[in-house]
Structures are given as C-alpha cells and as structure tokens.
Amino acid sequence: MEKTMVPRFGVTIIIAPRGLPFAVIGTTVGALGLWVEAPVYAVAVGAFLITFQVTARLWKRQTI
C-alpha cells in the first residue's frame, strides 16, 4: 500500500453534501466542461468541490 493518502493523527476530514440538486450540478458542470474544452479530470474535481463541502480540521491533544 505504497503512496496511500491517509490523514495524519489529529486531522479530521469532513465531507458533506451541499443543499443543491445533483442533476442541476451535473448538467451545469458538464456544460461548462464542454464549453471551455477542459480536461475531464479538471471538470470532475470542480464538480466534486461544487457538490460537496470539504472541511479539514487540525486538533491537538489537551495536556493534562
């Protein structure tokens, strides 16, 4: 399992869907990708970031 992306201890990653309909987002991002002739991976990343809210939080241990 080389090159596996794993968050380090003390990092919480939260991925939550936004309140938008998936059909509208898919159609919009697909049309945008065709309009600007963007590569598929760029359109997919953009669609993911528009569809989901990604939050990364760093927390530390409390000292006793």
Side-chain angles (χ1 to χ4, degrees):
M1 294 191 70
E2 295 179 27
K3 298 184 181 180
T4 303
M5 187 180 293
V6 180
R8 66 183 176 136
F9 182 76
V11 176
T12 302
I13 299 174
I14 302 169
I15 300 175
R18 296 187 189 264
L20 302 171
F22 289 118
V24 172
I25 294 170
T27 304
T28 305
V29 172
L32 178 64
L34 290 173
W35 182 48
V36 298
E37 298 177 5
V40 175
Y41 61 86
V43 174
V45 170
F48 179 79
L49 292 175
I50 291 170
T51 307
F52 296 99
Q53 180 179 4
V54 180
T55 307
R57 294 184 181 168
L58 177 65
W59 51 274
K60 299 178 184 178
R61 291 188 203 178
Q62 293 180 343
T63 55
I64 297 176

